[in-house]
Amino acid sequence: MNVVIGIQARSNSSRLPGKVLLPINNIPVVVLAAERAKNNHNFETVVLTSSEKSDDALSRMLESYGVQYYRGSLCNVLSRFVEAFSCYSEDTVVVRLTADNVFPDSELINEVIEDLKKNKYEYIIANGIECGLPYGVSVEVTYLKHLREANKLATSLHDLEHVTPYIRREYGVNLFLKYLDENLGDLVCTIDTLDEFFLVSEVFSKYQNAIEVSTWSLIQSLEQNSRKKVNATKLSLGCVQMGLDYGITNKNGKMSEETAHKILDLALSGGVKFIDTARAYGDSEKVIGGWLGKNNFENSSKVITKLGTLTNLKESSTLDEIEKEVRDSIYISCNNLKIDSIDILMLHRAEHLIQFDGFILTMLKKLSLSGTIKELGVSVQTPEELDLALQYEQITHIQLPFNILDSKWKKSEKAIFDIKKKRKLIIHVRSVFLQGLILSKSPSDWKKASINKPELMFSWLNKCQSFTNSRNVQELCIRYIKSHLWIDSVVMGVNTVDELQLNMNAFLLDDINPEQINYINDTNTFYNNEVLLNPSNWS
């Protein structure tokens, strides 16, 4: 059975242009990736680059090193794979690598191929945290016939650029799990930034032969001497997806408990300070409670939950009825979470601060004194509700929706800073991706949110991405939010372990500077669209 390896490479990387030409042990990155991939097993290896002028120097360099290459479409990477291997039979095994990931060697690649054959899979991937490997150790394997099928039937730009999404949808995702128990997902060995290049160069510098050193020797050096643990101290984990089918772009429904616990494990190891849930988030509290029962949670992440929505109460409700509703909500949360006291309890709605002449808040203050609740907070929706919440000294945590499209909180920044000088006040922001809408490339999703010309939104986001030198819209949104000094915690939900790892990695990146923030704010024409900014108004 034939095996061919295609290594994607281009010179116009947005964050680190020309990175594939940078030298590691005096060998260009792309050449090192190609030589390591075919070493020992003598796999036929082809570097797949573009026919654009920007890749002329790359092609000349590959030629000078005697590395086989093929030039094709810049954006349609899928067609590059199909065209480069057009003379091979349908049952040819195709390995997909990228040139900025130089850790994979032929031994690891062969192990993944053998797993594909042994289990009779149509597609398999070894990819970072989900497989127990460092972020950057990525190997995809499938058959050429599936790539040809995808090239004929896939239509979206996403499918064409990322090569395998069509195959993953049609034939399923199988993970290479041989090293799952190694639990090395908090290590980073890709080359997306200059710092990461220096890190990888330092690891390789310990070995005379950069081509023959094994993947595992490199990983051990990375772990022992250059461990780069994600420290996502401004990131909080939103857990609504653990209890509900949530988000406009969520196509898979509520996640499994096993996936939820893996996400929580990674959050804890990565330094996430707050785990955010609520009574109203379906089974979320119970899922977290099952995980808490297996972990030592002292002096680590704090759990935030929210009081029930109290919709059963009416203006005519007696004080006894109100007290019972509040106590029952807190009792159920403690029972679900398997805890004796709640780290931070937030009112689900700002109106509960003043409803029933403040009786609810009075009750919560008493429960705080007894130790049942350690700190109090409130979730707000508008600047007016924020102004109300800021008046209460016992409220030490406030959560509000904020994203790159939303500028309504600008006038509140001074008040927040003034109060922070006087007392403890932690500001949490949620809805960074607006329930995933901002990351969606689907015009129909945007039209549900009243954006009738989504192409204008896509164009603006792309301009902001380029101006801030961000790799993608996800990174743009995170860097924009975390660059605001009045924000202490960014609550972000995820559907997979990989999504959390990407978010955590984004928190390691530099903040956006004031000039870039001003550009985003000044060019934003969507800031006053209340239907867009409030998901409850979407059709």
Side-chain angles (χ1 to χ4, degrees), residues 268-444:
L268 183 64
S269 67
V272 169
K273 281 188 174 180
F274 299 103
I275 308 293
D276 182 85
T277 184
R279 278 286 319 284
Y281 293 173
D283 298 328
S284 177
E285 286 185 335
K286 289 183 179 179
V287 171
I288 296 169
W291 176 76
L292 288 176
K294 300 185 297 183
N295 288 275
N296 178 11
F297 220 52
E298 287 296 317
N299 300 316
S300 187
S301 303
K302 293 184 177 180
V303 175
I304 299 172
T305 193
K306 300 178 186 70
L307 196 66
T309 55
L310 307 183
T311 52
N312 292 331
L313 296 178
K314 304 174 182 177
E315 289 302 320
S316 58
S317 296
T318 66
L319 295 183
D320 287 343
E321 290 171 336
I322 298 167
E323 182 171 353
K324 182 179 185 304
E325 189 79 9
V326 172
R327 287 187 179 276
D328 284 351
S329 177
I330 294 171
Y331 172 78
I332 293 171
S333 288
C334 287
N335 190 54
N336 288 341
L337 292 166
K338 294 181 171 58
I339 55 178
D340 297 323
S341 61
I342 296 172
D343 292 324
I344 301 153
L345 180 75
M346 286 191 177
L347 293 165
H348 209 110
R349 297 173 179 168
E351 66 185 38
H352 293 157
L353 288 167
I354 55 176
Q355 198 174 17
F356 307 113
D357 294 325
F359 181 71
I360 295 173
L361 186 58
T362 300
M363 270 196 64
L364 295 180
K365 286 192 289 185
K366 290 180 180 178
L367 290 170
S368 295
L369 293 174
S370 69
T372 305
I373 303 166
K374 295 178 182 176
E375 294 187 78
L376 289 175
V378 63
S379 176
V380 304
Q381 296 287 342
T382 65
E384 291 74 25
E385 290 185 350
L386 174 61
D387 290 341
L388 173 65
L390 291 174
Q391 296 176 27
Y392 293 86
E393 291 190 6
Q394 58 268 44
I395 298 295
T396 55
H397 294 261
I398 297 177
Q399 188 182 108
L400 53 90
F402 183 46
N403 54 66
I404 196 170
L405 301 176
D406 191 351
S407 61
K408 65 175 172 284
W409 305 103
K410 182 67 178 175
K411 295 180 180 179
S412 303
E413 291 182 17
K414 184 179 184 303
I416 291 172
F417 281 124
D418 287 344
I419 290 180
K420 280 176 173 287
K421 294 175 184 177
K422 300 175 184 176
R423 63 177 175 86
K424 180 177 181 179
L425 177 64
I426 305 297
I427 300 294
H428 307 259
V429 300
R430 63 180 184 272
S431 201
V432 174
F433 301 134
L434 201 54
Q435 290 195 12
L437 177 65
I438 297 176
L439 304 183
S440 174
K441 296 295 185 181
S442 168
S444 62

Side-chain angles (χ1 to χ4, degrees), residues 55-225:
D55 285 321
D56 286 351
L58 168 60
S59 300
R60 289 193 297 269
M61 185 272 297
L62 290 169
E63 199 164 336
S64 71
Y65 276 87
V67 176
Q68 188 177 350
Y69 66 93
Y70 176 83
R71 303 186 72 174
S73 168
L74 175 65
C75 298
N76 190 345
V77 186
L78 175 58
S79 71
R80 277 192 237 165
F81 275 83
V82 171
E83 293 165 4
F85 304 123
S86 59
C87 61
Y88 287 86
S89 63
E90 292 274 275
D91 63 350
T92 298
V93 173
V94 180
V95 179
R96 176 178 177 246
L97 304 174
T98 56
D100 57 354
N101 294 331
V102 291
F103 269 41
D105 64 358
S106 61
E107 293 295 335
L108 176 64
I109 292 168
N110 193 58
E111 287 180 333
V112 181
I113 293 172
E114 290 302 315
D115 210 6
L116 175 93
K117 295 176 183 178
K118 175 184 175 182
N119 294 291
K120 297 182 179 179
Y121 293 146
E122 300 300 316
Y123 169 89
I124 190 172
I125 182 170
N127 188 33
I129 181 68
E130 286 192 328
C131 300
L133 298 167
Y135 179 69
V137 178
S138 180
V139 178
E140 284 184 284
V141 184
T142 187
Y143 291 96
L144 183 56
K145 60 185 176 183
H146 299 323
L147 289 167
R148 288 171 175 167
E149 176 188 343
N151 194 45
K152 289 179 181 178
L153 301 179
T155 56
S156 74
L157 294 177
H158 178 80
D159 285 0
L160 301 179
E161 179 183 356
H162 297 283
V163 183
T164 56
Y166 173 89
I167 297 171
R168 293 160 71 99
R169 291 196 301 271
E170 292 297 316
Y171 298 100
V173 177
N174 301 294
L175 298 175
F176 177 71
L177 299 176
K178 181 176 180 179
Y179 302 109
L180 180 63
D181 292 340
E182 298 294 334
N183 195 27
L184 297 166
D186 61 340
L187 300 178
V188 178
C189 62
T190 190
I191 303 174
D192 280 334
T193 67
L194 195 57
D195 284 345
E196 289 168 351
F197 168 71
F198 290 142
L199 175 69
V200 172
S201 295
E202 182 181 352
V203 172
F204 272 94
S205 69
K206 296 175 172 58
Y207 302 94
Q208 286 189 340
N209 194 324
I211 293 172
E212 293 186 2
V213 60
S214 72
T215 295
W216 282 103
S217 293
L218 293 170
I219 289 175
Q220 288 168 0
S221 294
L222 181 71
E223 185 176 21
Q224 293 168 3
N225 304 315

